[in-house]
Amino acid sequence: MVKAPDTRGTNPGTSPRTRVLVVGGGYVGMYTALRLQRKLRAGEAEITVVTPEPYMTYQPFLPEAAAGSISPRHVVVPLRRVLDKCRIVIGEAQRIDHAKRTATVTTLATEEEGTGALELAYDELVLAPGSISRALPIPGLADYAIGFKTVEEAIGLRNHVIEQMDIASSTRDPQVRDAALTFVFVGGGYAGVEALGELEDMARYASRYYHNVKPEDMRWILVEASDRILPEVGPEMGEYTIRELRRRNIDLRLETRLESCADRVAVLSDGARFPTRTVVWTAGVKPHPVLAASDLPRNERGRLKCTARLTVEGVEHAWAAGDAAAVPDVTAEPGRECAPNAQHAVRQAKVLAENVLASLRGQPLKDYSHAYVGSVASLGLHKGVAHVYGRKLKGYPAWLMHRIYHLSRVPTVNRKMRVLAEWTLAGLFKREIVSLGSLEHPRAEFELAAGGAPRPDPMDLSADPAPPPPAQDGGGPGPDRPGRPGGGAEPGPDAPRGGTD
């Protein structure tokens, strides 16, 4: 049992209020902090939220953002507006010393100040850092692949696909054209299937505005290591999805692995080789590195050992939920854990917040219990699959259910109305097919005008890639966000990746 003395108000300058530290601003972090700030009495506790981004991303909408059906700014929820009674720290938790009840945090100002990382003290810890992409040591993967976990990756991928169509339309080299029009997606879970379905739909629509690019010129390939895709919707709906994608001339390669993508050539385990300028990696996630940098107990998969009350097993004043937590599923047979998806995460956050309040007030805690209700997935405009409460839907009804469900789940009335308005306008007018790839490097044009060499575009695979940064667990920190782990693909809320329900 990890214990530490209660120091609230006992030392000079120490607040008598309980200090609640929430690590992570995703589903669990935001919803837990939101419920706490609504229910805490005045002066009862102070809440600090540490998150690498000032917003929560509603990941089920990433495929539609990539397809242009939803504006990127409506896929995210600004934390400072929603959590107006919380202290928001934009940074990355590097270490947790629960025995001392301190968290080591790097922020955007840490490197500029040169004073080292912050030491945040707390009385109650809520760990909800989520997960990061599980990248494998595949040759060329770090140089050429892109994930599908963040809104930046989704929009970057959309821009990249349209740019490849522009390259194919203007090149006189047939090899360059074929590579530009070949798109390889690795991973047959929610992230891979939905991203491929939406982007293929968007690219097929965009091709009508190119005089020399037709839908049949493009090659879309889905690589999955197992013998099925979308296992969460059941075998029957999985088979339907395979038939639907193949009807759209999408090349599905089951029981196949990506062995290399070096030199812009995707080499598969079945011997196939595809020159390509686009490799999208959506093949699973792993726990956030901060869990390994803590003194809290973890299971063999690296997730925190938790009780059904969402406390960390054998530890006082520590709570966890979501992708980072191995929570027993009390509705299933003993030994089973809740799947790390958003369907559980949102509901766990409610119970977690109630239990934190109950703990502060000396009241009994409740067990988390939620029976899995099913899953829905979009396969493009007006196409989808669903298996909900034992009922199986496909095509337009499943797509409509997908939209209705996620519209009801996206946080805040403001976001609901904006998304609904965009869907309405998208139904009345034509799609936008503009690439805004220059947004990723806004100073490039000025640098060129000023006489300097513009920085290379990492999405432009026509140039040789820069040497990769030193490898770290889960990817290196971003250039503008010290200590932030690299992105990757994340599944849907009902897949073991946390992205679509």
Side-chain angles (χ1 to χ4, degrees):
M1 176 78 72
V2 177
K3 295 186 178 181
D6 190 343
T7 59
R8 281 172 283 176
T10 59
N11 297 328
T14 303
S15 172
R17 296 187 294 174
T18 300
R19 298 163 298 180
V20 179
L21 176 64
V22 180
V23 177
Y27 291 105
V28 174
M30 190 198 77
Y31 279 108
T32 299
L34 181 61
R35 196 167 188 85
L36 285 174
Q37 78 171 12
R38 287 174 176 172
K39 296 208 167 188
L40 283 168
R41 304 187 188 106
E44 188 174 9
E46 56 186 26
I47 308 169
T48 300
V49 179
V50 175
T51 174
E53 302 288 359
Y55 52 79
M56 174 264 205
T57 302
Y58 191 71
Q59 289 163 338
F61 281 158
L62 289 184
E64 291 203 52
S69 300
I70 301 177
S71 172
R73 67 184 183 277
H74 298 156
V75 175
V76 298
V77 180
L79 294 178
R80 295 190 188 278
R81 178 187 295 176
V82 175
L83 305 178
D84 56 324
K85 296 180 182 178
C86 301
R87 175 192 177 196
I88 307 296
V89 177
I90 305 303
E92 190 74 32
Q94 299 294 328
R95 292 188 303 279
I96 302 290
D97 189 342
H98 192 63
K100 297 180 180 179
R101 293 194 197 172
T102 60
T104 303
V105 177
T106 55
T107 69
L108 297 179
T110 300
E111 188 174 339
E112 297 288 338
E113 294 172 344
T115 56
L118 299 176
E119 291 286 341
L120 296 182
Y122 61 84
D123 300 302
E124 301 286 341
L125 173 68
V126 176
L127 263 177
S131 55
I132 63 172
S133 197
R134 186 186 66 228
L136 301 179
I138 296 174
L141 188 67
D143 297 327
Y144 297 107
I146 182 174
F148 201 75
K149 179 182 177 65
T150 67
V151 66
E152 293 88 352
E153 288 174 326
I155 303 309
L157 184 56
R158 167 187 168 82
N159 292 333
H160 174 73
V161 168
I162 296 176
E163 285 171 1
Q164 298 313 302
M165 297 178 69
D166 291 336
I167 290 172
S169 176
S170 58
T171 185
R172 291 173 290 181
D173 187 331
Q175 293 183 342
V176 172
R177 175 185 169 89
D178 290 345
L181 294 179
T182 300
F183 307 95
V184 179
F185 287 68
V186 184
Y190 274 94
V193 172
E194 289 199 323
L196 185 150
E198 291 283 356
L199 285 166
E200 189 274 339
D201 209 24
M202 181 272 294
R204 184 159 27 85
Y205 174 87
S207 67
R208 68 180 67 181
Y209 298 103
Y210 290 80
H211 70 283
N212 59 350
V213 176
K214 299 179 176 59
E216 53 268 24
D217 296 335
M218 293 181 281
R219 186 164 194 178
W220 298 82
I221 303 165
L222 179 62
V223 180
E224 168 55 39
S226 69
D227 61 351
R228 58 192 294 192
I229 63 174
L230 294 181
E232 293 79 12
V233 298
E236 183 179 339
M237 291 296 98
E239 289 294 330
Y240 167 80
T241 303
I242 290 174
R243 293 195 302 270
E244 169 64 21
L245 295 180
R246 284 177 172 163
R247 186 185 64 79
R248 290 158 61 176
N249 293 321
I250 295 173
D251 185 357
L252 266 68
R253 306 237 169 185
L254 303 179
E255 298 183 282
T256 306
R257 297 179 306 279
L258 176 70
E259 294 193 338
S260 172
C261 57
D263 301 322
R264 307 186 190 98
V265 177
V267 180
L268 307 185
S269 60
D270 61 3
R273 299 171 61 91
F274 300 103
T276 179
R277 301 163 65 90
T278 308
V279 175
V280 184
W281 181 262
T282 66
V285 295
K286 63 182 180 181
H288 194 285
V290 73
L291 303 186
S294 73
D295 54 356
L296 299 172
R298 296 176 296 144
N299 66 7
E300 64 280 358
R301 295 185 178 180
R303 300 167 69 195
L304 294 174
K305 294 181 179 179
C306 293
T307 69
R309 296 177 178 180
L310 304 179
T311 61
V312 178
E313 189 175 286
V315 179
E316 293 182 329
H317 309 293
W319 314 78
D323 290 3
V327 179
D329 188 347
V330 299
T331 66
E333 63 269 14
R336 286 197 59 181
E337 298 172 354
C338 296
N341 57 49
Q343 184 177 138
H344 282 296
V346 174
R347 292 169 174 84
Q348 286 174 355
K350 179 180 178 180
V351 176
L352 195 158
E354 294 291 344
N355 281 348
V356 171
L357 288 169
S359 176
L360 296 180
R361 298 167 184 174
Q363 299 171 353
L365 308 184
K366 298 185 297 185
D367 286 349
Y368 171 73
S369 175
H370 171 68
Y372 186 72
V373 299
S375 305
V376 292
S378 170
L379 305 178
L381 189 64
H382 299 161
K383 297 175 281 289
V385 291
H387 188 187
V388 182
Y389 291 113
R391 299 190 63 183
K392 301 169 185 176
L393 300 174
K394 57 188 178 183
Y396 184 85
W399 173 83
L400 184 61
M401 176 177 286
H402 175 272
R403 283 202 161 184
I404 292 173
Y405 175 81
H406 287 301
L407 184 64
S408 71
R409 293 298 176 180
V410 67
T412 78
V413 175
N414 180 303
R415 284 295 176 272
K416 294 180 195 296
M417 293 299 101
R418 289 178 182 273
V419 169
L420 182 59
E422 288 198 307
W423 281 343
T424 303
L425 292 174
L428 297 174
F429 301 100
K430 296 180 180 180
R431 290 192 189 202
E432 295 291 346
I433 56 168
V434 177
S435 168
L436 298 176
S438 59
L439 288 175
E440 298 169 31
H441 299 285
R443 294 190 65 249
E445 185 71 20
F446 180 78
E447 288 174 354
L448 184 62
R455 70 176 70 180
D457 183 351
M459 293 300 294
D460 180 9
L461 303 184
S462 62
D464 291 331
Q472 296 186 7
D473 183 19
D480 301 324
R481 292 175 175 81
R484 181 190 175 196
E490 176 168 310
D494 291 326
R497 306 175 311 283
T500 337
D501 211 353

